[in-house]
Amino acid sequence: MARPAGVPHALPLVDVRLSVDKNIPAQARRAADAVLGDIEANTRYNFLLIVSELVANAVLHSHSPQRLRVLRDGSVLRTEVHDGSVEMPLVLTPSPYREHGRGMFLVDSFADAWGVEATPTGKMVWAEVDAPVRGDGEG
């Protein structure tokens, strides 16, 4: 299911600059929620969780979040979070002994596909979920 960034037929729904701000994950989640359309409630929750976790990771670990994009390609919703770090995200097993380390575990659990692409200024972490819009004969 992996597609390169900037697929020409993907419809961009959100494309915003991010800042280092403790409230930016919630703002990103609200921006994404506003454009998702009528999709199944669990899928909406999972996608918004993924958006929150990827943006929070960009703030926490890279200290240089740059951009959030949400795109639709048919029934696939894709989020892309760009940051200024070349450090790759890790999927860790959750532990009660670590303050952090659950974000990519959640992304890995809820996304249908996810990956990382190097960019000239750092990296872009993307994740996709199948989310047909209801009323399109899918739900």
Side-chain angles (χ1 to χ4, degrees):
M1 184 183 287
R3 288 179 265 295
V7 176
H9 57 277
L11 175 63
L13 304 172
V14 172
D15 191 345
V16 296
R17 292 274 171 213
L18 299 173
S19 62
V20 179
D21 179 329
K22 67 177 182 172
N23 297 318
I24 205 71
Q27 293 169 10
R29 188 173 53 249
R30 283 192 297 275
D33 190 34
V35 299
L36 294 184
D38 186 18
I39 62 173
E40 196 272 325
N42 284 337
T43 302
R44 176 181 298 274
Y45 177 85
N46 292 347
F47 187 76
L48 295 174
L49 175 68
I50 290 166
V51 168
S52 295
E53 292 299 334
L54 292 181
V55 171
N57 279 354
V59 171
L60 180 65
H61 299 294
S62 80
H63 307 291
S64 57
Q66 298 172 342
R67 182 179 185 193
L68 164 70
R69 289 177 21 122
V70 175
L71 303 103
R72 179 175 281 285
D73 182 6
S75 69
V76 175
L77 278 172
R78 176 179 173 116
T79 187
E80 301 174 351
V81 176
H82 298 248
D83 67 48
S85 172
V86 295
E87 185 179 330
M88 294 293 124
L90 299 173
V91 177
L92 301 174
T93 302
S95 168
Y97 304 107
R98 276 196 307 270
E99 184 178 353
H100 301 287
R102 293 165 188 82
M104 289 310 297
F105 177 82
L106 292 170
V107 171
D108 188 57
S109 297
F110 291 113
D112 292 320
W114 72 272
V116 184
E117 296 178 23
T119 67
T121 60
K123 70 176 174 299
M124 181 260 296
V125 183
W126 59 267
E128 297 176 341
V129 298
D130 187 43
V133 175
R134 291 194 260 194
D136 286 352
E138 298 282 338

